[in-house]
Amino acid sequence: GKLKSRMVQQNIALGRLNTVLQEIFLTIRVIKSFVAEKVELARFTDEANENRKMVMRFIFVKHIEEPLRFTADAVAVALILLLTFQAMQAGRLSLEGFGMFIVLARQVISPISMLSSNVLTIAGMLGSAQRVMELFSIKNTLPDGKEEIAEFQRSIKIGRAHV
């Protein structure tokens, strides 16, 4: 759902930010020699802002879910109370049965609520796993050469030089 989608977007933004940082660190000499610090800083700032935006969207969706879950729990408890009270009033349920039913209902609602919370956590983890699987599924687009090599022996000959 929306939480998983936000988690995937957050992971993509974080991956792009990490890529920019890695490129900057690996090419710092080239950047300095071309006096391109401002360009690279702007690129980093753009990715950092995008990452921050995605994190905030994910947090917003995640924290909207919690009050909704608590509200759903409260509505479920209220409905159970109403139905059991009506059954007791109609004589279909004794006072002891009413108490037992309420205790059992409370014990069932709490695990169901925790289950929905865990499902959202798992959805977030699946979103992260989806990003990892996308990275692993990238295929090499460079074509292989036509020459077949029998086996490696003692050296590799490149032009006239031996390595």
Side-chain angles (χ1 to χ4, degrees):
K2 198 160 190 104
L3 188 67
K4 182 181 174 187
S5 169
R6 296 287 189 215
M7 174 66 88
V8 170
Q9 290 172 350
Q10 176 189 349
N11 287 337
I12 289 170
L14 181 60
R16 288 193 350 216
L17 178 63
N18 286 336
T19 300
V20 168
L21 280 172
Q22 185 177 12
E23 286 173 0
I24 289 171
F25 290 143
L26 290 175
T27 60
I28 192 68
R29 288 186 174 138
V30 175
I31 292 167
K32 288 204 159 283
S33 66
F34 284 97
V35 194
E37 293 93 351
K38 286 183 182 176
V39 172
E40 292 302 320
L41 180 61
R43 192 165 73 115
F44 168 76
T45 303
D46 288 346
E47 291 300 338
N49 286 335
E50 184 69 18
N51 184 57
R52 180 183 50 78
K53 187 168 61 174
M54 292 303 153
V55 168
M56 294 306 288
R57 285 181 180 173
F58 171 71
I59 289 171
F60 179 75
V61 169
K62 185 177 180 206
H63 290 295
I64 284 290
E65 177 272 334
E66 287 176 8
L68 290 176
R69 188 168 27 94
F70 290 139
T71 303
D73 290 351
V75 168
V77 169
L79 282 173
I80 289 169
L81 280 172
L82 180 66
L83 292 173
T84 53
F85 185 73
Q86 286 177 345
M88 192 177 85
Q89 289 291 324
R92 294 190 308 263
L93 191 63
S94 68
L95 185 58
E96 296 83 8
F98 175 79
M100 178 79 81
F101 195 79
I102 296 301
V103 168
L104 290 174
R106 291 286 298 161
Q107 289 182 344
V108 168
I109 287 174
S110 181
I112 290 173
S113 178
M114 287 176 60
L115 179 66
S116 69
S117 177
N118 290 337
V119 163
L120 288 171
T121 302
I122 290 168
M125 291 168 60
L126 289 174
S128 299
Q130 180 181 342
R131 173 71 179 134
V132 171
M133 296 314 291
E134 284 172 9
L135 291 173
F136 281 135
S137 67
I138 294 172
K139 301 284 186 228
N140 182 10
T141 57
L142 295 173
D144 288 336
K146 294 178 182 173
E147 285 190 37
E148 294 277 331
I149 307 243
E151 63 181 59
F152 180 74
Q153 292 174 359
R154 294 178 188 232
S155 64
I156 297 173
K157 186 175 181 182
I158 299 172
R160 295 183 180 161
H162 286 286
V163 179

